[in-house]
Amino acid sequence: MTSQLAGGPLVQLTGVNKWFGELHVLQDIDLSIDRGEVVVVIGPSGSGKSTLCRTINRLESIQQGEIRIDGEKLPEEGKALARLRSDVGMVFQSFNLFAHKTILENVTLAPTRVRRQGKGQAEARARELLERVGVAHQADKYPAQLSGGQQQRVAIARALAMDPKVILFDEPTSALDPEMINEVLDVMTSLAREGMTMVVVTHEMGFARRAANRVVFMDGGRIVEAADPETFFTAPRSDRARDFLSKILNH
Ligand SMILES: Nc1ncnc2c1ncn2[C@@H]1O[C@H](COP(=O)(O)OP(=O)(O)O)[C@@H](O)[C@H]1O
Ligand SMILES: [Mg+2]
């Protein structure tokens, strides 16, 4: 569980700007996320949501501004970057499990290689986490033998195995068949309730209402508005948010 002791925001983006060539993909982003806070990021396709997530663990660099994780500025490269990056878990739409490794090996790989945990310790912890996400009995299988919902829950266990300070979820249920969406959202909801700091890009508005402390709406590379879910869904301030909500809620 995340420590509640240290002060200050856990993730802080200040004046962040990023370009892909001519495309100004992130524009003047200021975003501060507290320990234990769950922030849902929504917005139209191409608005910069994935890029925002990817800059937070520096899968993408930024050209202007500053990103701090737990008070520490994101380093450019090297060991310090690897260490800070391992504080930031990431769960992708496409699961990204290693196909030729078992479920158990997928979860123990980073703790043994990056954190230098012993095999026995890493396996015990992995089994505990697989139990927690409800796939303990699949530990010796390969990813292709599991359903999408099970694979995504393994991906969450894999992220948790590094004891991250924050986990970023980029459309974690978008690639799933409808009947598997809830089993993944349920795991995420319990993580949220247990105090995990989470940034979740999703179009699952039920999850946002249930689990988010704050909804951030992006459009055209900017944060257009941010509010608690109740306020955002019942009284969005901007035309763009109203328009977006009417599209996704009535589809
Ligand atoms: N590696 C890249 N190179 C160039 N353009 C990119 C790259 N990744 C994303 N983009 C562009 O940046 C914009 C934002 O993309 P993205 O962050 O994926 O948006 P979202 O996740 O909100 O759909 C889009 O116009 C996309 O085409
Ligand atoms: Mg995206």
Side-chain angles (χ1 to χ4, degrees):
M1 195 156 292
T2 34
S3 153
Q4 304 289 326
L5 297 175
L10 186 56
V11 178
Q12 188 160 36
L13 288 82
T14 313
V16 169
N17 281 279
K18 176 176 179 62
W19 287 261
F20 283 125
E22 298 280 286
L23 179 69
H24 194 175
V25 62
L26 294 178
Q27 305 188 26
D28 303 321
I29 301 286
D30 292 314
L31 179 64
S32 180
I33 300 170
D34 287 331
R35 244 159 271 275
E37 196 179 10
V38 177
V39 173
V40 161
V41 180
I42 68 171
S45 179
S47 58
K49 306 179 300 294
S50 293
T51 305
L52 180 74
C53 284
R54 294 167 61 81
T55 61
I56 294 176
N57 68 350
R58 219 176 176 296
L59 288 170
E60 294 285 356
S61 59
I62 57 173
Q63 281 90 42
Q64 276 177 19
E66 190 181 85
I67 301 177
R68 286 179 183 271
I69 307 291
D70 210 359
E72 277 187 76
K73 200 167 175 243
L74 266 185
E76 291 294 310
E77 56 196 11
K79 274 197 181 139
L81 175 61
R83 184 173 53 73
L84 217 62
R85 189 182 273 159
S86 69
D87 285 341
V88 182
M90 181 115 190
V91 174
F92 302 89
Q93 179 176 327
S94 50
F95 328 137
N96 293 8
L97 298 176
F98 294 105
H100 302 294
K101 296 198 179 292
T102 66
I103 297 310
L104 190 70
E105 289 165 347
N106 265 278
V107 181
T108 56
L109 190 67
T112 51
R113 297 251 175 103
V114 182
R115 292 262 200 255
R116 303 264 169 230
Q117 268 178 26
K119 191 164 177 256
Q121 187 197 350
E123 286 191 1
R125 171 94 167 117
R127 289 189 190 278
E128 203 179 284
L129 290 169
L130 290 172
E131 178 82 49
R132 180 164 163 196
V133 301
V135 289
H137 51 296
Q138 316 283 8
D140 300 321
K141 292 189 179 165
Y142 288 86
Q145 296 174 281
L146 272 59
S147 71
Q150 290 172 327
Q151 289 187 56
Q152 193 59 304
R153 286 182 283 145
V154 172
I156 294 172
R158 180 178 58 176
L160 289 170
M162 292 295 278
D163 290 319
K165 291 178 176 168
V166 51
I167 305 186
L168 315 174
F169 296 82
D170 191 1
E171 302 208 29
T173 59
S174 298
L176 297 177
D177 291 332
E179 73 272 20
M180 292 169 190
I181 291 176
N182 280 334
E183 66 193 45
V184 172
L185 292 178
D186 286 348
V187 168
M188 293 168 59
T189 302
S190 44
L191 280 182
R193 300 238 158 96
E194 288 161 24
M196 178 56 76
T197 309
M198 296 161 60
V199 178
V200 184
V201 179
T202 185
H203 291 179
E204 295 293 334
M205 298 300 114
F207 173 81
R209 280 185 181 270
R210 193 159 69 236
N213 300 107
R214 193 152 40 122
V215 175
V216 166
F217 173 70
M218 287 186 74
D219 194 18
R222 288 183 185 278
I223 293 179
V224 175
E225 77 181 86
D228 66 276
E230 183 60 24
T231 305
F232 181 77
F233 290 119
T234 54
R237 280 181 290 110
S238 63
D239 290 343
R240 283 192 278 179
R242 268 194 296 277
D243 182 50
F244 178 76
L245 282 176
S246 74
K247 281 181 189 140
I248 60 163
L249 297 176
N250 301 322
H251 79 128

